[in-house]
Amino acid sequence: MDVLVLIGRILFVLIFLGSGVNHFARTSAMADYAASKGVPMPAQITRVTGAVQLAGALMVLLGIWADLGALLLAAFVLSTAVVMHRFWAETDPMTRQNDMLHFLKDLGLGGAALMLVAFFSYAGDDLGMTLTGPLFDVR
């Protein structure tokens, strides 16, 4: 079971690791996109969200307060869904469809991250292949 959970953690964080790296490697382009969505201080926010993604993903991957890492990722994707993918405000059908897809993807990832918060918090130190136990205890 521990190996299966580890494989799931690895697969889950890949999108956040890649995106977090892109937030730093392509800050200017990503900040321009954020600015087009009305995000204030887009370059700074791009760096902060990149750091949140990398920190949360590494915490889940390595099992260092994985519950807190999953909570960081949930906060990121749920806020991103609402701020960056407002499909309901789009008039172009293709843009609307694309934003709706990303909105729903972010909701799904946010839901999965929230389940991981509960899972890691409940499993506690009984979950193997982690470097620390959870920060939260929901038992």
Side-chain angles (χ1 to χ4, degrees):
M1 180 65 102
D2 293 347
V3 172
L4 188 60
V5 173
L6 177 62
I7 292 168
R9 287 176 14 219
I10 292 167
L11 295 175
F12 179 73
V13 302
L14 288 176
I15 191 169
F16 299 106
L17 291 173
S19 180
V21 167
N22 271 337
H23 276 65
F24 289 102
R26 300 184 52 222
T27 301
S28 180
M30 296 190 94
D32 288 347
Y33 179 64
S36 77
K37 296 291 188 169
V39 174
M41 301 184 312
Q44 294 87 340
I45 297 293
T46 297
R47 289 185 194 96
V48 168
T49 55
V52 166
Q53 288 181 87
L54 290 173
L58 289 172
M59 292 170 82
V60 170
L61 177 66
L62 300 173
I64 302 171
W65 287 345
D67 54 342
L68 177 60
L71 188 59
L72 288 173
L73 295 175
F76 167 74
V77 292
L78 294 173
S79 61
T80 298
V82 174
V83 173
M84 300 297 290
H85 304 301
R86 298 178 300 228
F87 69 91
W88 54 89
E90 292 296 336
T91 55
D92 176 63
M94 191 165 287
T95 303
R96 182 181 182 99
Q97 181 67 30
N98 189 45
D99 272 348
M100 184 168 50
L101 175 68
H102 286 291
F103 179 85
L104 293 172
K105 171 203 49 120
D106 284 351
L107 287 186
L109 286 170
L114 289 174
M115 286 190 289
L116 283 177
V117 172
F119 173 73
F120 289 128
S121 298
Y122 185 79
D125 293 324
D126 293 337
L127 184 63
M129 301 185 136
T130 59
L131 295 177
T132 70
L135 182 62
F136 309 116
D137 183 7
V138 297
R139 288 186 211 199

